[in-house]
Amino acid sequence: MIEFRQVSKQYSHGSSALTDVTLSIAKGELAYLSGPSGAGKSTLLKMIAAIERPTSGSVLVNGQDIGKLSASGIPYLRRNLGLMFQPANLLSDRSVVANVMLPLLVTGSARNDAEKRARAALDKVGLAGKATSEPLALSGGEQQRVAIARAIVNRPQIILADEPTANLDRASANRVMDALTAFHEAGVTCLIATHDEAILRNADRIIYLDGGRLTKSPEMRLAQESA
């Protein structure tokens, strides 16, 4: 589903965000990105969505080379992606359901159909009763779940989430992760960047970045050294 082949990203001022990254994520997999701040996690996620382009190497999504994608092809790529970046970026001048409808309206869906699907997405994240509320009236955890509803309203094949539980209390973080896990269990490929140790503790796969390079986590290195 997602493949990085010796991908590097350098900026004009000389700094490197990613260096020689090679990895693959299978269809339907749930994987976590971890590592210190500035390790390149957000850059890696943005490359999958063609927000950033590699300086060298190839990023493939469903076999399509993102680096060769034309500007006109990017909207079609993103229709298959559910994107969650920090902050939630909800629009405060419209209701919760209107926020969730936006991706559908942008891609040409009829308003009635868009509202029906948006309400269904809110129901899936446990917020059906908040559809007509204003975003600023919601808690931080509820705002993140609205962001999940907006990310999945297009019925994407892939969800990319950048620190979806940042600054949330444990109960709110658990509800956000329960919603994301439910979509994974329904067959959606999920790649989640997080520092949350409570989440990583039970993860089946962790992709660890440090200084823009793939590496083993400190915990993995310690375990191997003591073995």
Side-chain angles (χ1 to χ4, degrees):
M1 182 64 78
I2 301 169
E3 187 174 3
F4 280 63
R5 298 176 179 172
Q6 296 180 308
V7 171
S8 295
K9 175 65 177 180
Q10 293 183 320
Y11 294 103
S12 57
H13 50 73
S15 66
S16 295
L18 294 174
T19 302
D20 198 28
V21 171
T22 295
L23 63 87
S24 61
I25 297 168
K27 182 177 181 180
E29 188 174 3
L30 170 59
Y32 293 90
L33 277 175
S34 188
S37 296
K41 301 186 297 296
S42 295
T43 300
L44 190 150
L45 291 176
K46 288 177 180 178
M47 282 190 175
I48 298 169
I51 298 170
E52 297 272 10
R53 303 289 185 111
T55 305
S56 62
S58 301
V59 179
L60 289 84
V61 178
N62 265 341
Q64 186 170 41
D65 190 333
I66 300 304
K68 297 178 180 178
L69 195 63
S70 66
S72 62
I74 291 175
Y76 295 97
L77 165 75
R78 292 180 184 163
R79 288 180 187 182
N80 291 319
L81 304 178
L83 307 177
M84 290 182 62
F85 292 106
Q86 288 291 333
N89 289 324
L90 302 179
L91 300 177
S92 60
D93 63 346
R94 62 197 68 193
S95 69
V96 164
V97 70
N99 269 273
V100 178
M101 288 167 59
L102 277 176
L104 297 172
L105 297 177
V106 167
T107 55
S109 294
R111 180 168 291 275
N112 286 345
D113 182 54
E115 182 172 352
K116 181 179 179 181
R117 286 173 58 180
R119 288 181 180 276
L122 286 167
D123 185 51
K124 287 181 180 178
V125 298
L127 290 175
K130 300 286 187 177
T132 59
S133 300
E134 295 181 359
L136 293 179
L138 304 183
S139 68
E142 288 172 333
Q143 290 182 25
Q144 284 296 79
R145 283 189 283 156
V146 173
I148 294 173
R150 184 179 59 190
I152 59 92
V153 74
N154 261 338
R155 300 168 185 157
Q157 296 177 333
I158 300 169
I159 290 177
L160 306 175
D162 193 359
E163 300 288 354
T165 62
N167 304 315
L168 298 182
D169 61 76
R170 187 75 265 149
S172 296
N174 288 342
R175 282 193 289 270
V176 167
M177 288 308 304
D178 285 346
L180 288 171
T181 301
F183 294 116
H184 162 246
E185 291 173 348
V188 179
T189 305
C190 298
L191 182 57
I192 302 171
T194 185
H195 287 102
D196 193 327
E197 291 296 333
I199 294 170
L200 295 173
R201 195 174 300 125
N202 298 313
D204 289 329
R205 184 183 181 192
I206 301 172
I207 299 165
Y208 195 85
L209 285 169
D210 193 355
R213 295 179 181 272
L214 287 179
T215 184
K216 296 174 182 175
S217 72
E219 293 80 7
M220 290 172 63
R221 290 197 295 268
L222 184 61
Q224 288 184 341
E225 288 168 3
S226 61

